[in-house]
């Protein structure tokens, strides 16, 4: 394998496909965005906490990407109330993601989280989540219409405003953009050490950075991977992540 591209670990979901078999899965849209937008080699990171040595993994990759998912972070992870019956959880993914995130930051690895990945970053550093933000007073409906087509679900939903002088304003050259919105979980209390990068018009935190991280460390609530090549701000996010991974790779080569 050529050594001119960085290797990035991509967080996998653990899903039971039938009564006897579990699979570790990564959505193709994320892989495509990382390949075409970031210019890296993506590899799946299994959700197998008891089988993986986190420190060993970090020694072999140049960045980490935390995907979205239909599953919710288990509320016990942030001392939240029990979920409503029928809520989809992935405790194995929680175990790996919430342990590897602080270790990755400490190791100086670039990281990018979207949707569930954004929420995982907040929880990993001590923050809390709304499980159903559309039921919380003062907030808009941020979830998708389950009966709509994917084109509509991932279509433009609402504006977010970037913090003046922040990372997102610098890399996109924009002050506001319109994003898609497909989530029920959302930031309630922002973890110490995370700095707001973008908000929705109802005040909901839509993006943050890990303030003292030595490398690129960004979380966004929306899905910039969707049709990444057709949207300049989305491409800017993935390119900036790829540039940070290339920088890490060059230092380690």
């Amino acid at each position: 394998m050529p050594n001119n591209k960085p290797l990035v670990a991509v967080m996998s979901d653990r899903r039971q496909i039938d009564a006897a078999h579990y699979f570790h899965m990564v959505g193709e849209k994320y892989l495509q965005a990382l390949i075409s937008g970031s210019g890296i080699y993506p590899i799946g990171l299994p959700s197998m906490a008891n089988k993986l040595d986190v420190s060993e993994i970090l020694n072999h990759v140049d960045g980490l990407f935390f995907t979205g998912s239909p599953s919710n972070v288990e509320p016990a992870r942030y001392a939240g109330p029990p979920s409503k019956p029928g809520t989809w959880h992935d405790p194995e993914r929680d175990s790996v993601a919430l342990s590897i995130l602080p270790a990755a930051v400490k190791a100086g690895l670039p990281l990018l989280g979207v949707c569930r990945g954004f929420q995982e970053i907040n929880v990993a550093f001590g923050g809390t989540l709304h499980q159903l933000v559309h039921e919380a007073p003062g907030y808009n409906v941020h979830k998708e219409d389950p009966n709509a087509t994917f084109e509509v679900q991932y279509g433009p939903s609402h504006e977010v405003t970037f913090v003046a002088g922040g990372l997102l304003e610098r890399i996109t050259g924009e002050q506001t953009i319109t994003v898609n919105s497909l989530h029920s979980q959302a930031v309630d209390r922002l973890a110490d050490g995370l700095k707001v990068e973008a908000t929705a018009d109802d005040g909901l935190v839509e993006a943050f950075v890990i303030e003292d991280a030595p490398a690129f460390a960004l979380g966004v609530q929306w899905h910039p991977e969707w049709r990444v090549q057709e949207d300049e701000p989305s491409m800017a996010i993935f390119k900036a992540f790829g540039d940070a991974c290339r920088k890490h790779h060059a230092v380690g080569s």
Side-chain angles (χ1 to χ4, degrees), residues 34-95:
L34 288 165
I35 293 167
S36 63
S38 298
I40 56 87
Y41 288 123
I43 58 169
L45 174 61
S47 293
M48 302 174 71
N50 295 331
K51 304 291 185 182
L52 297 176
D53 183 333
V54 167
S55 61
E56 186 67 22
I57 292 168
L58 299 181
N59 288 333
H60 293 283
V61 298
D62 298 299
L64 289 97
F65 182 84
F66 296 84
T67 68
S69 172
S71 65
N72 282 11
V73 177
E74 286 193 311
R77 299 284 185 172
Y78 52 89
S83 299
K84 287 188 174 181
T87 301
W88 187 351
H89 292 298
D90 189 343
E92 291 80 9
R93 171 167 171 163
D94 290 347
S95 294

Side-chain angles (χ1 to χ4, degrees), residues 206-228:
E206 289 278 345
F208 52 62
V209 291
I210 302 175
E211 197 163 13
D212 294 328
F216 183 99
L218 173 68
V220 300
Q221 180 59 84
W222 65 92
H223 285 268
E225 81 284 351
W226 181 254
R227 299 194 182 282
V228 64

Side-chain angles (χ1 to χ4, degrees), residues 118 122 128-130 185-190 204-205 208 221:
F118 163 88
N122 189 48
T128 65
L129 302 176
H130 293 291
Q185 285 194 133
V187 168
D188 181 5
R189 181 177 59 79
L190 190 67
L204 192 67
V205 176
F208 52 62
Q221 180 59 84

